Amino acid sequence: KAWSLLGLAGVYSDLKDSETALQYYQKSLELFKQANFKHGEAVAISGMGNVYQSINQNEKALDYHFRSLELNQSSKFKVGISRSFSDIGTCYEDFGDYDKALEYNLKSLEIRQQTGYRSAAITNLVNIGRIYIKTDKFEKANEFLQRALAEAKAIDAKPKICTANQLLADLFEKNRDYKKALAYYKEFYAFKERVFSEESKFKLLNLQTIHKIETSQKEAEIYHLKNIRLTMENERKSEE
């Protein structure tokens, strides 16, 4: 049940319903704590951190990500550790602390490359490239973004192809190389249409999932009330 609640929290988070998402994350967290399942606790806490980050409560988000990191480290769960490092890095980037943002993204990238977690490693490459743009280190930014774009194309990760192209366009525009900037913007817009189509389908699927769950919950409630009513009637008859 805890994993189901966690899945629902993720659905509501994707739909930008942060309040409901946090409620489901909290419920799943309580069940994981009861079962003393540290990995589940770490995932739930990480999810809550991401929700707080999405609504610009960055200090709270950072606290949750460090709590998740501690749990992941206690269970030596490398995938979870790399995720926590990445999330912490993003928080520091939002704070404008680019040195720490870079430090945690590089830590995350190292683990993900060691474990062959290619898709997640691309996220770090993109993050690092974006940080280097913000700190005016254009050669380093280009190096990491080109790596991100090549890796994303290799595994056909369309959203990440889209993001890498957008950042490369921004980079070359900032460098006043407008010819290259235009080329990357064109590729960005070409992929953006495909990504938007896929995201629309995903959102529809999420809404259908929630509708089914809410319907089944209502049916379960009706069934439960009927049982209570029948039990009360049976008790009343037996008393007669």
Side-chain angles (χ1 to χ4, degrees):
K1 188 179 178 180
W3 288 109
S4 298
L5 292 170
L6 199 65
L8 272 174
V11 169
Y12 280 107
S13 180
D14 289 336
L15 293 171
K16 312 300 180 189
D17 186 345
S18 55
E19 186 178 346
T20 308
L22 286 169
Q23 288 172 2
Y24 277 106
Y25 276 127
Q26 185 60 46
K27 287 176 182 177
S28 68
L29 177 59
E30 287 166 6
L31 290 176
F32 284 130
K33 280 183 175 178
Q34 288 172 18
N36 195 29
F37 187 44
K38 300 298 181 188
H39 170 52
E41 287 181 48
V43 175
I45 291 169
S46 171
M48 294 171 84
N50 289 330
V51 173
Y52 282 121
Q53 199 168 348
S54 73
I55 56 176
N56 298 317
Q57 293 190 28
N58 292 324
E59 288 186 11
K60 204 164 189 176
L62 190 61
D63 176 59
Y64 274 81
H65 290 317
F66 270 114
R67 284 170 59 190
S68 180
L69 174 62
E70 188 177 345
L71 286 164
N72 282 316
Q73 287 176 327
S74 69
S75 58
K76 297 179 181 179
F77 183 54
K78 284 191 174 182
V79 171
I81 293 168
S82 72
R83 175 63 184 267
S84 294
F85 280 153
S86 184
D87 289 336
I88 290 167
T90 306
C91 275
Y92 278 124
E93 185 183 349
D94 289 342
F95 283 134
D97 190 338
Y98 299 127
D99 287 339
K100 283 187 177 177
L102 190 60
E103 176 192 343
Y104 279 97
N105 269 289
L106 286 168
K107 283 181 178 181
S108 177
L109 178 62
E110 183 181 3
I111 295 171
R112 286 169 171 177
Q113 287 178 328
Q114 288 173 354
T115 55
Y117 198 7
R118 286 181 79 181
S119 178
I122 296 167
T123 299
N124 294 123
L125 293 170
V126 166
N127 291 347
I128 292 165
R130 187 175 57 246
I131 292 164
Y132 279 131
I133 290 175
K134 290 177 178 179
T135 53
D136 295 330
K137 294 178 181 175
F138 299 133
E139 286 187 16
K140 296 293 287 183
N142 186 45
E143 175 194 339
F144 278 90
L145 291 172
Q146 292 293 352
R147 285 172 60 188
L149 184 58
E151 281 289 301
K153 284 182 175 179
I155 62 171
D156 196 30
K158 291 183 183 67
K160 294 180 182 185
I161 294 171
C162 192
T163 303
N165 275 309
Q166 184 180 22
L167 286 171
L168 281 163
D170 291 345
L171 168 64
F172 284 107
E173 186 178 5
K174 210 170 182 182
N175 248 350
R176 300 191 177 189
D177 188 338
Y178 300 116
K179 185 178 179 180
K180 283 186 178 178
L182 180 60
Y184 283 113
Y185 268 124
K186 283 181 177 177
E187 196 169 349
F188 160 66
Y189 279 112
F191 274 94
K192 187 181 179 183
E193 288 183 12
R194 298 182 218 175
V195 170
F196 178 75
S197 176
E198 289 177 5
E199 285 178 347
S200 297
K201 289 177 184 175
F202 183 66
K203 185 173 181 179
L204 177 62
L205 182 63
N206 279 343
L207 289 168
Q208 288 173 336
T209 301
I210 288 172
H211 175 68
K212 286 179 182 177
I213 289 165
E214 287 180 346
T215 301
S216 65
Q217 285 176 339
K218 285 176 184 175
E219 288 173 352
E221 178 107 4
I222 291 166
Y223 180 74
H224 178 63
L225 290 170
K226 280 183 178 178
N227 276 345
I228 292 172
R229 183 172 57 80
L230 288 169
T231 302
M232 288 173 70
E233 284 183 4
N234 285 334
E235 287 176 351
R236 181 176 57 80
K237 285 179 181 178
S238 63
E239 286 173 2
E240 291 173 357

